[in-house]
Amino acid sequence: MIIDLQTVTEETHLHEVLGRDWWHMSDPSQQVLGLGCPLQVDMKVSKAADKFLLDGTLSGGVKVRCDRCLEPFDLELKSRFNVYLVARASGSSEEDIELLDEDMEVDFIKGETVDLDDIIREQIYLAVPMKCVCKRDCRGLCPECGANLNIAPCSCKSRSGHPGFSKLETLRFQGE
C-alpha cells in the first residue's frame, strides 16, 4: 500500500485488511512465518510541520515458530504504534547521518511516496515477543537427538550434572 504524502493535508484515515497472501516470506528460518488470519490495520496519517505522524493499531494473528520446539503456532497480535516520517536532508548520504535517541522513532523517507507495507511489516516484527513459546509447558527438543519432547520422550540416556565434569566418571582411584 503506497501513500502519496502530498495528498495528506490535515489527517488521513486508512483502514486495511491484509489477507494471508500479503506476507511474503524471504527466509524460511525467520521467526514470523506468515499471517495466521487476516490482519486489521487502522492508521491515521497527519502532517506536523515538516514531519508526518503515523498513528495506528494492528490486530490479528501471525504464524510464528516456537523457540523451544520449533513447531509453528498462531500468535494473537494487538499492537499500537507511532512512527514519524521525515524527509532525508538533501545532499546527505547514509554515511553522514548520526542517529540520536529521539531518532529511533523516526523513519527517514526519500521522495513524496511511502510504502506502508514495509512499515506494517516492521511493526509486526516489533510486536512479536522476544521469546515465543507455543504453550507454557512446552518441553522443547532433546539436546542429544533433537526429538520433540512434546510428542514423546526420547530414548537418549539422560545425563545428570554439568557436561564439563563428564570426564570425572572415568576416573578410577587406587584401591577400587
Side-chain angles (χ1 to χ4, degrees):
M1 176 169 55
I2 295 177
I3 185 168
D4 185 3
L5 295 176
Q6 290 178 335
T7 62
V8 176
T9 52
E10 291 290 318
E11 266 185 21
T12 302
H13 293 274
L14 302 169
H15 175 76
E16 192 75 26
V17 178
L18 305 173
R20 290 181 185 205
D21 58 337
W22 174 81
W23 188 271
H24 299 287
M25 186 172 48
S26 59
D27 182 11
S29 66
Q30 290 181 342
Q31 180 71 16
V32 178
L33 302 173
L35 298 181
C37 64
L39 185 70
Q40 304 277 333
V41 180
D42 291 304
M43 197 177 315
K44 179 176 71 171
V45 183
S46 55
K47 187 173 182 167
D50 61 338
K51 296 180 183 178
F52 291 91
L53 173 64
L54 298 178
D55 182 24
T57 59
L58 298 172
S59 61
V62 294
K63 189 166 282 300
V64 295
R65 192 176 310 277
C66 178
D67 286 327
R68 290 185 188 162
C69 66
L70 303 178
E71 292 294 323
F73 73 99
D74 290 325
L75 177 70
E76 187 68 26
L77 278 187
K78 286 191 185 286
S79 175
R80 184 163 183 73
F81 63 90
N82 293 309
V83 177
Y84 290 101
L85 301 176
V86 178
R88 193 178 303 256
S90 61
S92 67
S93 66
E94 291 186 19
E95 297 91 32
D96 297 335
I97 297 174
E98 179 181 343
L99 294 177
L100 304 172
D101 287 340
E102 59 266 11
D103 292 335
M104 294 299 137
E105 297 176 346
V106 175
D107 274 353
F108 293 100
I109 56 174
K110 295 178 188 175
E112 299 296 324
T113 61
V114 175
D115 187 2
L116 294 178
D117 287 350
D118 293 337
I119 294 172
I120 293 169
R121 197 170 277 107
E122 178 181 277
Q123 294 305 317
I124 290 171
Y125 278 117
L126 290 172
V128 171
M130 288 181 72
K131 185 163 184 103
C132 295
V133 181
C134 60
K135 54 188 177 184
R136 288 183 68 175
D137 60 343
C138 177
R139 298 182 62 213
L141 301 175
C142 172
E144 296 294 321
C145 67
N148 188 342
L149 298 175
N150 294 319
I151 296 171
C154 68
S155 59
C156 293
K157 179 183 169 188
S158 176
R159 294 185 181 185
S160 62
H162 191 278
F165 297 109
S166 61
K167 281 290 193 189
L168 293 177
E169 292 176 355
T170 60
L171 185 64
R172 299 285 176 227
F173 293 104
Q174 289 181 344
E176 279 189 18

